[in-house]
Amino acid sequence: MTTQPAAPTPSAAFARRSPEETAAQLETSAISGLTTLEANNRRARYGLNEFEVEDDEPIYLKFFKSFYENPLILLLLASAIVSLAMGQRDDAISITLAILIVVTVAFVQEYRSEKSLEALNKLVPHHCHVIRDDTQSATLASQLVPGDLVKFGIGDRIPADCRLVSAVDLEIDESNLTGENKPCRKVIEAITGNEYTELSITERKNIAYMGTLVRNGHGTGIVVGTSKETEFGVVFCMMQEVEIRKTPLQLSMDELGKKLSMLSFIIIGVIVLIGLFQGKHWLEMMTIGVSLAVAAIPEGLPIVVTVTLALGVLRMANRKAIIKKLPSVETLGSVNVVCADKTGTLTMNQMTVTKVFTLAEGFPVDVDQAKNVDVDLHPGMRRLLQVGNLCNNAFMDDHSKWIGQPTDIALIEVLRGLSISDERPLFERISEFPFNSEQKYMHVRCAPLPGGNIGNKQTAEHAIDPTNAAVSQSGSLGTYYFKGAIEPVLERCVNYYRSEGSQLPLDIEAKDKVMAQANDMATHGLRVLAMAYGNDLDRLTFVGIMAMHDPPRPGVEDSIRTLVGSGVKVIMITGDADATALSIARRLGFPINPGKASCLTGAEIESMTERQLQDAVGHVSVFARTTPKHKMAIVSAFQAKGCIVAMTGDGVNDAPALKLADIGISMGRSGTDVAKEAADMILVDDDFSTILGAVEEGKSIFYNIQNFLTFQLSTSVAALTLIAMATLFGLNNPLNAMQILWINILMDGPPAQSLGVEPVDDDVMKKPPRARDAAILTPLLLRRVLTSAMIIVAGTMFVYVHEMTDGAVTARDTTMTFTTFVFFDMFNALACRSEKKSVFSIGFTTNKMFNFSVMGSIIGQFLVIYMPFFQTVFQTEALTFTDLLGITLLTSSVFWAEEARKFFGDRRHHEKMHGRNAGQGFRRVETEEGEAFEIV
């Protein structure tokens, strides 16, 4: 059900006006746009073109809600009130102050989590093409103002509500606004009709709406509405609540928290009942029980997980990988197949024409040698260069930098190297069929302008024969200029260019000669582009081929080797010929089997059944001559085998495959807005090595959460066990309520959080990808928890019993016990930094946040036992240096026990790899302990 706004939006009003009336009313130009000065003035008046979520609650109100929304905190407050009523003023003040500290720490954590998530929303800034001062430039969409002139093409997202002033075959996908899947074909004429009825969104055919996607054609429009004055903004304002979906890991942590809470409540209930049965005061037992519940129940677990995931995403952003959604972070650690586009991801996407071949000359020509020879070029080569020049959309910006597709730029750069002028200003372009990844070709129809001197070193006799050519709008004749992959070009050619005025039939022998040259160039890793021209698209004249070199990106070979070594299968997908693809794959270090077993072409994929493709993808490393539909088939085949697939893409037609993949990866520089919308991750620098860094972070975050969980659970189990044992043996409680709450702060606070941001372990990529549904509580983790908890309880009970020599519990006894437990906690946190590596090998300075957190906790503990005010609150007294030294030596035992486990565990792991069966083959598997190897 849709609610109509009370007043017409700007787009509704301007849809009834002509482009000229729109420009006049907004005091702008439909050709040159606004001036920069005027745009800045309007931005000050209208504000930024972005949505700001207004916080409906002030921060102080959220803080006070933390007190009454948590039933355990309310129970503690009730115990403080009862203590005050019974004349126990010191206890009441102590409990109240402890509650204040606990709530403040929890609130800061949650606030930090919210701010981290807000930061994620700002990681993907949206850019657009705006014309100001008669100059086109790229700018942030948030900088647009009403009156700006915006240009958009295939793959672009519309940055604001725009009144169209030009539209060439413009079709826009408005499904996210209207629900209509079929793209809407746009016009520029004013919409006429009943002026007393507001035009519906679907009736405004001359409006391009913010957030919609250009599927075909191109156009320009004047911005008429920004931010909340857009149709998208109206919907945004109507949204009262937005449900934020939790990640699978967060959901599992919620479930784990509920189970642990239930278990903790049962144990605490037993402790309280036993204490009451032994005759202890009910208020004391209630306070201890509630304090234990606050400390033992991991209510901060989901928050810390969220913070850890969010901070991991921000770290990835610093490594040029932008993660759009938190669940993607978890999935990254499970990826075991990476499908990578060759161009721009594995290579630099900086094309250079190195060789050309024409049937007119009959042999390949090295371009660098041609540049150094001071003779006129062969007419066949000139014609080849002319076709590449006219069938070209590259242009130069204000900084004398060529903008456009790398292939187009290469075709312009080779002209400059050969001292040939760009002839496009001398021709009128009548029509254009843009490059399509399905057809793999493009063509334009052009006609020479009257009086144009065609060619810098060329006379009029070199001009194309215009006989029977098409007619332009100005009445001049036009000719098709055609370029693309060699197969579709040869299919449309019936003749080949020999010289001016001389064309010969393109027979089988001539085609074979062309294909032989093309295959030879492809085997050297060169991309081959064919050129033709003519007056009939089905009877073209073949001119020749150009070979381009696209150098591999530095570091890609090492990244591939690392991924393959960690159990991730890396495959290359390209539109190039199979010979080109295999040559580059070998150079980049892809595992290639002898023959063609490692390469499949798009044609071969189409001839296979789904089952055959699933069987084939296991040994294939290269897919050549592919289209976007082939990408979807490849992803589906891997997923059917149970693989977790990451797929890279940049074009409009790549969007379905990116959505289908478990992790869709779009290019940041060359990627279209449609691809970025569909992707889960964006590579800012288009570099494949960035994927490696993202996978490393994804794996590392999961293991960091396990380490954090080990620390928190061992502390929780130790605290519960300590109080339970004291109660069962009829001893007084070794810790009072305030001390238990202080331990809770350490358990949920900075020391615990700092474990979640442990730097990436160098060995993390040696571990195989984990299963997506792998349990976070592994048998090894539980053994670590129970072992550490047992040591902490044994050591703390020893100190407690040893200090309580006279049978009475004094402030010194509880202070010694309390400090022992806290120091145990600090050493336990140090031991939990890594599951398998010694702290001495990972270093003490790699995690500065951890060091500051532990130092801060120790300083806080000293304040608690030495500052008079806190001595009153926590009921402590000062300890001697000898006391602290003894406590330090005892509590370090939990650290040394973990170090011993890691040392002997590492030796066993080493023996598995290099034992008596080391000569045999091994394969990496996942066991209950984590990584393991088994003999093949």
Side-chain angles (χ1 to χ4, degrees):
M1 182 175 179
T2 310
T3 303
Q4 292 293 335
T9 58
S11 67
F14 283 104
R16 296 186 180 279
R17 294 177 175 83
S18 67
E20 295 76 17
E21 291 172 336
T22 300
Q25 182 170 338
L26 292 174
E27 298 179 355
T28 186
S29 168
I31 299 174
S32 59
L34 296 172
T35 64
T36 302
L37 178 62
E38 177 61 21
N40 293 334
N41 292 336
R42 294 191 184 189
R43 193 175 305 111
R45 188 194 326 165
Y46 293 104
L48 294 176
N49 179 34
E50 60 186 16
F51 301 118
E52 294 184 2
V53 180
E54 296 181 1
D55 199 346
D56 53 349
E57 287 183 339
I59 189 170
Y60 68 85
L61 186 58
K62 286 185 176 181
F63 178 70
F64 284 120
K65 273 190 173 183
S66 302
F67 287 91
Y68 63 79
E69 287 184 344
N70 189 334
L72 296 176
I73 296 298
L74 289 176
L75 283 174
L76 277 176
L77 285 171
S79 67
I81 293 171
V82 172
S83 297
L84 184 63
M86 297 180 66
Q88 298 175 5
R89 183 182 175 188
D90 290 344
D91 284 350
I93 295 174
S94 298
I95 293 172
T96 304
L97 288 174
I99 291 172
L100 184 63
I101 295 172
V102 169
V103 171
T104 302
V105 170
F107 176 76
V108 170
Q109 283 180 300
E110 191 165 355
Y111 184 75
R112 184 184 179 196
S113 171
E114 291 176 359
K115 291 301 176 185
S116 297
L117 292 175
E118 287 178 14
L120 301 186
N121 296 327
K122 300 177 181 178
L123 286 178
V124 193
H126 176 44
H127 290 80
C128 64
H129 301 285
V130 64
I131 299 174
R132 289 177 184 159
D133 300 313
D134 201 20
T135 302
Q136 179 179 323
S137 63
T139 187
L140 287 172
S142 61
Q143 302 297 308
L144 291 180
V145 296
D148 264 328
L149 183 63
V150 180
K151 186 176 182 180
F152 30 79
I154 296 178
D156 287 342
R157 181 171 61 176
I158 305 299
D161 280 5
C162 300
R163 172 59 171 92
L164 296 172
V165 296
S166 72
V168 178
D169 294 330
L170 184 61
E171 294 182 353
I172 297 181
D173 180 357
E174 299 175 348
S175 57
N176 59 352
L177 194 61
T178 65
E180 177 60 50
N181 290 324
K182 184 179 179 180
C184 176
R185 191 169 186 85
K186 294 296 182 178
V187 299
I188 63 171
E189 293 79 13
I191 307 298
T192 59
N194 190 346
E195 296 185 2
Y196 300 101
T197 303
E198 181 182 338
L199 294 171
S200 68
I201 292 176
T202 54
E203 289 177 320
R204 303 171 206 167
K205 303 291 186 182
N206 53 14
I207 299 293
Y209 298 108
M210 171 191 260
T212 56
L213 298 165
V214 180
R215 290 296 186 184
N216 190 44
H218 56 85
T220 55
I222 296 174
V223 175
V224 296
T226 59
S227 187
K228 295 181 180 179
E229 293 296 312
T230 63
E231 289 297 334
F232 198 84
V234 170
V235 176
F236 181 85
C237 293
M238 290 167 59
M239 290 190 304
Q240 299 298 319
E241 294 181 0
V242 178
E243 181 182 355
I244 301 175
R245 294 174 57 191
K246 292 188 175 183
T247 75
L249 186 57
Q250 287 173 311
L251 292 173
S252 66
M253 288 300 97
D254 286 343
E255 186 63 27
L256 176 62
K258 290 177 183 177
K259 292 179 180 178
L260 292 176
S261 299
M262 186 64 66
L263 181 61
S264 299
F265 272 126
I266 293 172
I267 296 173
I268 292 166
V270 172
I271 292 172
V272 172
L273 288 175
I274 293 175
L276 293 174
F277 182 76
Q278 293 173 342
K280 295 180 180 179
H281 196 279
W282 70 270
L283 181 60
E284 176 192 358
M285 293 311 300
M286 180 186 124
T287 306
I288 289 292
V290 175
S291 300
L292 266 178
V294 172
I297 296 172
E299 74 282 347
L301 188 57
I303 295 175
V304 174
V305 169
T306 301
V307 171
T308 302
L309 290 173
L311 292 179
V313 170
L314 295 175
R315 284 201 308 273
M316 290 185 196
N318 292 331
R319 298 179 70 171
K320 309 295 186 182
I322 295 176
I323 307 295
K324 294 170 61 180
K325 298 176 183 177
L326 285 185
S328 304
V329 181
E330 303 170 32
T331 308
L332 275 170
S334 302
V335 167
N336 51 18
V337 175
V338 175
C339 303
D341 259 347
K342 176 187 75 70
T343 305
T345 308
L346 301 174
T347 60
M348 296 289 290
N349 205 16
Q350 296 175 357
M351 301 288 184
T352 304
V353 179
T354 56
K355 287 186 177 182
V356 298
F357 170 78
T358 62
L359 285 170
E361 286 187 277
F363 57 87
V365 176
D366 187 283
V367 172
D368 286 336
Q369 292 180 1
K371 291 177 182 177
N372 298 323
V373 178
D374 190 21
V375 295
D376 279 348
L377 298 177
H378 189 280
M381 186 171 177
R382 281 190 172 278
R383 180 52 52 89
L384 184 69
L385 294 170
Q386 185 191 44
V387 175
N389 179 197
L390 296 178
C391 191
N392 198 305
N393 286 323
F395 65 93
M396 185 173 287
D397 64 9
D398 296 333
H399 305 288
S400 299
K401 179 181 177 182
W402 285 104
I403 305 297
Q405 292 297 321
T407 303
D408 284 351
I409 295 174
L411 294 176
I412 297 296
E413 292 285 358
V414 71
L415 297 177
R416 299 175 65 185
L418 295 170
S419 301
I420 298 177
S421 299
D422 185 353
E423 296 184 359
R424 288 177 296 176
L426 306 177
F427 282 78
E428 175 190 359
R429 179 173 291 190
I430 304 167
S431 64
E432 174 187 345
F433 182 87
F435 178 83
N436 184 297
S437 56
E438 293 284 346
Q439 280 81 22
K440 297 188 181 301
Y441 62 79
M442 75 167 288
H443 58 75
V444 297
R445 190 163 50 139
C446 299
L449 293 171
N453 181 19
I454 309 299
N456 188 32
K457 292 183 177 180
Q458 190 176 2
T459 62
E461 67 180 5
H462 294 129
I464 295 174
D465 181 10
T467 306
N468 297 323
V471 180
S472 72
Q473 293 179 356
S474 62
S476 57
L477 297 172
T479 302
Y480 289 105
Y481 297 88
F482 199 103
K483 74 176 181 187
I486 192 165
E487 293 89 349
V489 174
L490 284 177
E491 285 176 2
R492 287 164 175 77
C493 293
V494 294
N495 301 314
Y496 72 86
Y497 176 93
R498 182 170 181 82
S499 63
E500 293 304 325
S502 175
Q503 298 178 1
L504 297 178
L506 187 66
D507 53 21
I508 298 297
E509 183 181 352
K511 287 185 177 181
D512 289 343
K513 190 173 182 179
V514 172
M515 291 302 300
Q517 290 292 332
N519 290 333
D520 181 64
M521 294 173 179
T523 55
H524 290 84
L526 301 178
R527 168 177 282 189
V528 179
L529 204 61
M531 308 284 176
Y533 71 95
N535 303 322
D536 185 339
L537 283 175
D538 293 322
R539 299 183 61 81
L540 296 174
T541 298
F542 182 80
V543 182
I545 57 178
M546 291 191 188
M548 302 180 183
H549 175 58
D550 186 11
R553 283 186 178 272
V556 166
E557 185 176 353
D558 292 336
S559 298
I560 292 174
R561 189 181 299 113
T562 302
L563 283 169
V564 171
S566 69
V568 178
K569 180 178 178 65
V570 184
I571 65 171
M572 182 173 79
I573 300 179
T574 178
D576 289 343
D578 50 353
T580 304
L582 281 169
S583 174
I584 295 173
R586 290 190 183 95
R587 196 181 310 166
L588 292 174
F590 280 84
I592 302 296
N593 296 325
K596 287 190 63 177
S598 290
C599 181
L600 272 182
T601 64
E604 290 170 332
I605 291 174
E606 290 183 359
S607 66
M608 290 181 171
T609 64
E610 291 183 4
R611 182 64 185 176
Q612 288 174 330
L613 182 58
Q614 291 169 23
D615 294 336
V617 293
H619 58 78
V620 174
S621 298
V622 178
F623 292 90
R625 281 288 187 244
T626 56
T627 64
K629 67 178 180 181
H630 297 142
K631 284 188 176 183
M632 293 187 68
I634 294 166
V635 172
S636 297
F638 276 114
Q639 289 176 332
K641 294 169 69 69
C643 298
I644 308 299
V645 184
M647 165 69 78
T648 70
D650 56 8
V652 175
N653 293 327
D654 290 332
L658 293 177
K659 274 200 167 186
L660 179 64
D662 299 281
I663 292 286
I665 304 174
S666 171
M667 304 300 105
R669 292 177 180 171
S670 60
T672 61
D673 287 336
V674 176
K676 292 175 184 177
E677 289 281 337
D680 304 290
M681 183 169 84
I682 299 174
L683 302 184
V684 177
D685 54 1
D686 294 8
D687 194 344
F688 180 82
S689 300
T690 306
I691 299 177
L692 173 64
V695 172
E696 285 178 343
E697 287 285 358
K699 285 188 172 185
S700 180
I701 285 172
F702 183 81
Y703 292 118
N704 283 349
I705 290 175
Q706 281 191 316
N707 292 333
F708 149 75
L709 196 56
T710 302
F711 168 71
Q712 191 174 60
L713 291 182
S714 58
T715 303
S716 179
V717 170
L720 278 174
T721 306
L722 182 67
I723 302 299
M725 288 182 64
T727 304
L728 287 172
F729 289 112
L731 301 174
N732 290 324
N733 286 319
L735 302 171
N736 60 42
M738 284 64 69
Q739 293 166 354
I740 293 173
L741 293 175
W742 174 252
I743 290 170
N744 174 69
I745 292 172
L746 299 181
M747 185 177 76
D748 282 342
Q753 285 197 22
S754 63
L755 292 173
V757 294
E758 189 73 27
V760 175
D761 185 353
D762 293 337
D763 291 340
V764 75
M765 291 306 293
K766 296 178 182 177
K767 299 179 180 180
R770 63 179 179 82
R772 174 179 278 179
D773 56 353
I776 195 167
L777 286 182
T778 62
L780 174 60
L781 187 149
L782 292 175
R783 284 199 295 271
R784 290 174 66 198
V785 167
L786 294 176
T787 302
S788 298
M790 182 180 65
I791 295 173
I792 293 172
V793 171
T796 307
M797 282 297 291
F798 170 77
V799 170
Y800 180 54
V801 174
H802 179 268
E803 290 295 322
M804 195 174 53
T805 54
D806 55 358
V809 179
T810 64
R812 172 181 166 79
D813 299 340
T814 56
T815 304
M816 285 288 290
T817 307
F818 175 40
T819 306
T820 298
F821 195 101
V822 170
F823 274 45
F824 261 128
D825 230 20
M826 295 300 99
F827 278 111
N828 186 32
L830 182 63
C832 288
R833 285 184 59 192
S834 175
E835 180 188 63
K836 294 186 176 180
K837 296 186 74 173
S838 167
V839 173
F840 297 100
S841 64
I842 63 178
F844 289 89
T845 59
T846 53
N847 189 344
K848 293 181 180 179
M849 181 179 173
F850 176 83
N851 294 336
F852 288 131
S853 298
V854 171
M855 284 191 293
S857 299
I858 293 174
I859 291 172
Q861 183 67 18
F862 286 161
L863 292 175
V864 165
I865 61 180
Y866 289 113
M867 183 173 284
F869 172 75
F870 288 114
Q871 284 179 335
T872 303
V873 173
F874 290 92
Q875 301 171 15
T876 58
E877 67 176 42
L879 301 178
T880 65
F881 176 76
T882 305
D883 292 333
L884 292 176
L885 182 61
I887 288 172
T888 302
L889 292 174
L890 174 65
T891 55
S892 66
S893 60
V894 71
F895 168 74
W896 294 116
E898 265 292 284
E899 286 293 300
R901 181 194 65 80
K902 294 172 185 176
F903 174 75
F904 290 110
D906 185 63
R907 286 189 61 181
R908 286 196 299 270
H909 174 70
H910 183 78
E911 288 170 1
K912 282 183 180 180
M913 293 184 65
H914 302 285
R916 59 184 180 178
N917 294 321
Q920 302 181 48
F922 285 81
R923 65 181 177 189
R924 205 181 303 264
V925 296
E926 192 76 23
T927 68
E928 64 174 8
E929 289 85 11
E931 178 190 14
F933 292 82
E934 67 178 17
I935 302 171
V936 177

